[in-house]
Amino acid sequence: MVLSANTAKTSEPTDWLYNYQASVTPAAGTPLPVSFHHAMSRLRVKVSLNDELSGATVTQVYIGNLHAGGTLNMADGTITYSSTPDYDPIYATNKDESATNIYSAFLVPQTVTSSTSKLRIKVTLSNGKSYTYEYPHDFTFAIGPAYAITLAL
């Protein structure tokens, strides 16, 4: 299954559901149990603006230093990456979020190693200012879970 993150401003966040069962023995007249799993990882970024930035609004959030694409082997759960981690932006959107200051993106599951490439989140405001946050630790975006981070500017 081919996985890809939002790499265009106009793209919608996309997650994939998949099912894998090593063996199934169907019985006549009995429904097959099907258990779906999320293939992507989700990151929600909440941006909190301080008093000095009152009147400004968040216009864009993007995430960098990640693999933007890959292929999920549904038989064993491994991912082969189709790109090297770089700062090409993965755009987050606030579509379908409950507040205008919350943005989310579905990411290809992966581990970010702080010694080689720190996870970066860039926030751009309506006043033209941009702020970049680098996460100083290793972090694993696993298959399925959602993660949240709050950035106070």
Side-chain angles (χ1 to χ4, degrees):
M1 170 185 296
V2 176
L3 306 175
S4 64
N6 305 350
T7 55
K9 288 182 187 181
T10 57
S11 65
E12 293 291 326
T14 303
D15 191 6
W16 300 98
L17 296 176
Y18 74 98
N19 171 267
Y20 171 74
Q21 292 175 306
S23 65
V24 177
T25 306
T30 304
L32 290 175
V34 178
S35 178
F36 287 99
H37 306 281
H38 290 272
M40 301 288 276
S41 187
R42 183 178 185 187
L43 177 62
R44 295 180 82 205
V45 179
K46 180 180 179 180
V47 181
S48 174
L49 302 178
N50 66 27
D51 292 341
E52 293 176 23
L53 297 172
S54 65
T57 57
V58 177
T59 59
Q60 181 176 302
V61 173
Y62 67 82
I63 302 146
N65 279 355
L66 296 174
H67 294 282
T71 303
L72 171 65
N73 180 331
M74 291 187 287
D76 63 12
T78 60
I79 296 175
T80 304
Y81 300 104
S82 58
S83 64
T84 57
D86 56 28
Y87 204 50
D88 284 343
I90 295 171
Y91 290 93
T93 179
N94 66 347
K95 182 174 174 54
D96 298 327
E97 290 291 350
S98 59
T100 59
N101 64 330
I102 298 175
Y103 284 71
S104 64
F106 287 104
L107 307 172
V108 175
Q110 60 197 279
T111 297
V112 181
T113 306
S114 63
S115 62
T116 57
S117 61
K118 292 178 175 65
L119 170 68
R120 291 186 185 145
I121 301 171
K122 184 176 180 180
V123 177
T124 303
L125 303 179
S126 60
N127 62 8
K129 293 184 179 182
S130 292
Y131 299 87
T132 301
Y133 171 76
E134 287 190 343
Y135 189 70
H137 307 287
D138 294 355
F139 192 82
T140 298
F141 290 102
I143 293 175
Y147 304 92
I149 186 169
T150 298
L151 298 179
L153 306 180

